[in-house]
Amino acid sequence: MTTVHICPKCEDQVQISQPARLNEIVECAGCHCELEIVALNPPVLALAPEVEEDWGE
Amino acid sequence: MIRVVVVGAAGYIGGELLRLLIGHPEVETVAAVSSRFPGRRVDGVHPNLRSATDLLFCSADDVEECDTAFLALPHRTAMAQIDRWIARAKQVIDLTGDFRLGDPEVYRRYYGSEHVATHLIDAFVPGIPELHRESLRSADLISVPGCVAMAGVLALYPLAVRGLVEPTAQFDARTGSSGSGATAGAANLHSVRSGAMRVFAPTGHRHEAEISRHLGIAAAMTATGVEAVRGVQTICHATLRPDVDTSAVRRAFREQYRNEPFVRLVAHQRGNFRYPEPKILVGSNFCDVGYAVDEEAGRLVTIAALDNLMKGGAGNAVQCLNIRMGWPETLGLSFPGLHPI
């Protein structure tokens, strides 16, 4: 079973397979950001920390 | 099956048309017209078509009636020959600049000569499926836009049509060498082009007028030739209207392109290809579009990338043919591109 949630970055729909686990990382299909499940019952998604890229800034 | 003719078949766009049409399940390619190579084998000029066809180039005078004629001629040549091709073909799909602009005065300003077929300008439907799909279903005269214009239009149309941006925008376009055509010249020597980032049109690029026409805003363009054979990337800089935020921009793109088979929204947070990149679109008919917003400054940046010979030319022309004939829009156009390349 999956549940549908909203990506906090791009507002696209994100499907989470149940049962979900706390701190599990899922990927948004809309913006490809990594999301961390920071709470269960109900599930809450937050942006996962990420290393910045630098192409010459 | 319909019978099609490619006129100007020895050029890069002509070669791509042949590649696509020879592989198209509903099309029989009956003639490849070239004024330079009549009687020569097509695969001598387009070696990627070896074993795909035994066609020989022919002269325009050798062509009998057909269903559809694709004109991949030099600019100004199509309008000089247009009556001939209308008489021989039920549909004419023109890939030159001759019928892209709706106003002969604008044409004269950007192309430097008088239009010689003004009576037909209004009869041509712009070959932009994303804007004119319904008109294309019954169009017998179709004018396919320029490659940079196609990218520029798709980059900003969702915002412009909804009135979410101020009515002026700047377009910074980068293009590969195949956009210059297959005719040799000093400007296209390897020694000149290799490693160069040549600003060849800081102002006044012809496609600027097309973008203005289709977006209904004042577009200003700068075009630069870069170290690539294929590919166009157009970056648009615009100012958001007050109270327009990232969410509204995102919603506009999603609503506009949700059902488009060849436009993909690419504004990713991770990976090496976060924004539209022409490199991975080579040979495909996709146009990838993306955006970024500086809400504090009210600044919008949109990006579009495509293969100039495909969605910027031959592929888009075949997409228009598919729409006109009522076939699936993606027929013969399913190649997804290459990675790595």
Side-chain angles (χ1 to χ4, degrees), chain B residues 242-262:
Chain B
D243 302 324
V244 176
D245 58 11
T246 307
S247 184
V249 171
R250 184 185 303 123
R251 195 161 51 246
F253 273 105
R254 285 215 176 117
E255 287 174 0
Q256 191 68 45
Y257 295 137
R258 180 178 294 129
N259 298 316
E260 287 299 336
F262 291 114

Side-chain angles (χ1 to χ4, degrees), chain B residues 265-286:
Chain B
L265 187 55
V266 178
H268 294 168
Q269 301 300 308
R270 295 174 59 247
N272 290 329
F273 297 90
R274 299 178 180 197
Y275 291 102
E277 164 61 62
K279 177 179 153 82
I280 59 165
L281 300 176
V282 168
S284 87
N285 197 47
F286 288 105

Side-chain angles (χ1 to χ4, degrees), chain A residues 9-13 27-34 47 50-53 55, chain B residues 245-248 250-251 254 265-274 277 291:
Chain A
K9 182 69 180 178
C10 77
E11 300 171 3
D12 205 350
Q13 292 186 341
E27 184 174 349
C28 170
C31 66
H32 286 214
C33 70
E34 288 190 336
L47 291 173
E50 189 173 346
V51 177
E52 290 281 337
E53 286 185 4
W55 277 52
Chain B
D245 58 11
T246 307
S247 184
R250 184 185 303 123
R251 195 161 51 246
R254 285 215 176 117
L265 187 55
V266 178
H268 294 168
Q269 301 300 308
R270 295 174 59 247
N272 290 329
F273 297 90
R274 299 178 180 197
E277 164 61 62
Y291 63 89

Side-chain angles (χ1 to χ4, degrees), chain B residues 8-16 34 36-37 44-47 57 72-75 176-189 193 229-230 308-309:
Chain B
Y12 288 148
I13 290 280
E16 281 295 89
S34 168
R36 287 183 293 160
F37 303 111
V45 173
H46 302 301
F57 290 114
L73 292 160
H75 299 310
S177 60
S178 60
S180 306
T183 307
N188 288 324
L189 290 171
R193 284 205 80 118
V229 174
R230 290 183 186 231
N308 53 300
L309 300 180

Side-chain angles (χ1 to χ4, degrees), chain B residues 207-247:
Chain B
H207 297 179
E208 177 182 281
E210 286 182 66
I211 295 174
S212 295
R213 177 189 183 194
H214 295 298
L215 295 183
I217 66 170
M221 176 188 287
T222 297
T224 303
V226 298
E227 182 88 59
V229 174
R230 290 183 186 231
V232 160
Q233 184 186 59
T234 301
I235 298 181
C236 167
H237 301 270
T239 301
L240 291 169
R241 286 265 169 83
D243 302 324
V244 176
D245 58 11
T246 307
S247 184

